[in-house]
Amino acid sequence: MPSIDLTGKVAVVTGSGRGLGLAYAHALAAAGASVVVNDIDETVAEQAVKSITAAGGTAVAEVVPVGTTEAAERLVNRAVEEFGRLDILVTNAGILRDKVLWKMTDDDFDAVITTHLKGTFTCARAAAVRMREQGEGGTLILVGSPAGQRGNFGQTNYAAAKAGIAAFARTWSMELGRANITVNAIVPVAATAMTETIPAFAPYVEALKNGEPFPAFLRKGEGFGTPEDCAGLVPFLASEAARGVTGQAIGIGGDKVALWSHPQEIRAAYADGGWTPEALADAWSTSVGAELQSVGIPAPKFPEA
């Protein structure tokens, strides 16, 4: 297998004080990259840095909530001031404000969109400017979610933001290709503070905390595991081994890695002169509408007791 060596590379990982972000930061540092850890909690950020340096890595902390241009520029500037350059950006920072549509407030919506969608945009823009100035390429790794691929009950704001992030990856891969900057969305599934509240997974997450590994049907069948199970994808995508991989949405979790399809037309019908409402009603069930697409994240398939 090719060696993944990121020695001399510099990465910024937003929202990396704990959970998936911390796992990504550790994986990048283990591969040789210097890492700027980001969190809104100074204590959490400093603890993350200590854990990375204790493992032999190099890291510093930048405490700022992502979303604004100023925050994005602070993160990029910190990387350049500390390590001289920026090669890798992982946009992991996120929050949840789950409510059904008719109960979701403007503040609920705006907070999630600001952190996930605008935060990804502002950080990626600042990173792209720096990488283009350096003229040596780079890597943007945008963190998506199954909710953004399929929708999820009670997550209007989160699903919309994550769907937008997948669209960012496709668009920016085209815009930044000539600069040798790859852009991909990753779709992780792991036991984190966000997922451990899901009732179906709660007993298994609790068992994991007590030292019991996830059963095979979760790791393989559901692609559900620990944050560390998702982390290897990040240094791979940042390496020369993945230099030809861009514009993709890649799922990972447990023992599973998968490539998500792009939205595309799956069935078409034609009518000379165009479609009237009556013609659509007559033809729908036997043509375009013969097999409608499903929505939502499929429920876990647990083995029978």
Side-chain angles (χ1 to χ4, degrees):
M1 291 185 292
S3 174
I4 302 300
D5 185 359
L6 301 179
T7 301
K9 302 293 186 182
V10 178
V12 169
V13 184
T14 68
S16 50
R18 52 169 66 90
L20 281 163
L22 180 57
Y24 301 148
H26 265 284
L28 287 165
S34 300
V35 182
V36 176
V37 169
N38 162 250
D39 201 273
I40 60 173
D41 186 317
E42 183 175 3
T43 300
V44 169
E46 291 297 343
Q47 288 174 342
V49 168
K50 288 179 181 178
S51 70
I52 291 169
T53 56
T58 301
V60 296
E62 184 67 22
V63 179
V64 63
V66 302
T68 65
T69 295
E70 291 75 16
E73 291 177 348
R74 273 181 57 178
L75 289 166
V76 172
N77 290 341
R78 185 65 189 280
V80 175
E81 289 164 5
E82 291 285 342
F83 305 118
R85 57 186 299 109
L86 176 64
D87 304 282
I88 304 156
L89 171 70
V90 184
T91 59
N92 175 74
I95 60 173
L96 291 178
R97 298 288 187 273
D98 292 356
K99 288 178 185 172
V100 291
L101 172 60
W102 56 95
K103 293 183 178 180
M104 185 169 289
T105 67
D106 287 1
D107 287 344
D108 294 329
F109 185 84
D110 291 345
V112 170
I113 295 299
T114 296
T115 301
H116 286 277
L117 195 64
K118 190 175 180 183
T120 296
F121 161 67
T122 53
C123 288
R125 179 178 59 186
V129 169
R130 177 63 192 182
M131 290 174 186
R132 282 169 50 83
E133 288 174 351
Q134 291 172 176
E136 299 175 28
T139 304
L140 304 183
I141 300 172
L142 319 180
V143 180
S145 166
Q149 305 295 103
R150 296 187 54 85
N152 197 31
F153 190 96
Q155 292 195 312
T156 291
N157 43 14
Y158 181 74
K162 292 302 191 182
I165 286 169
F168 281 166
R170 294 189 288 269
T171 300
W172 296 342
S173 70
M174 294 184 283
E175 294 179 349
L176 295 172
R178 291 184 64 182
N180 198 31
I181 299 170
T182 61
V183 190
N184 292 285
I186 63 174
V187 185
V189 180
T192 66
M194 287 188 179
T195 58
E196 67 182 12
T197 58
I198 300 172
F201 292 133
Y204 300 97
V205 174
E206 188 61 31
L208 181 69
K209 292 178 180 178
N210 295 326
E212 299 178 28
F214 282 134
F217 79 86
L218 273 184
R219 293 187 59 83
K220 288 183 167 39
E222 300 298 327
F224 185 82
T226 67
E228 289 71 25
D229 290 322
C230 298
L233 182 57
V234 169
F236 164 68
L237 288 174
S239 74
E240 288 304 308
R243 192 47 38 192
V245 181
T246 192
Q248 304 303 301
I250 305 165
I252 191 165
D255 296 330
K256 179 182 178 181
V257 65
L259 184 68
W260 283 87
S261 67
H262 294 325
Q264 59 185 342
E265 295 177 347
I266 59 172
R267 191 185 299 262
Y270 302 89
D272 292 340
W275 289 93
T276 65
E278 293 78 13
L280 282 166
D282 182 58
W284 182 260
S285 62
T286 58
S287 59
V288 177
E291 187 175 352
L292 299 181
Q293 300 296 287
S294 62
V295 298
I297 301 170
K301 295 179 181 178
F302 295 105
E304 296 182 4

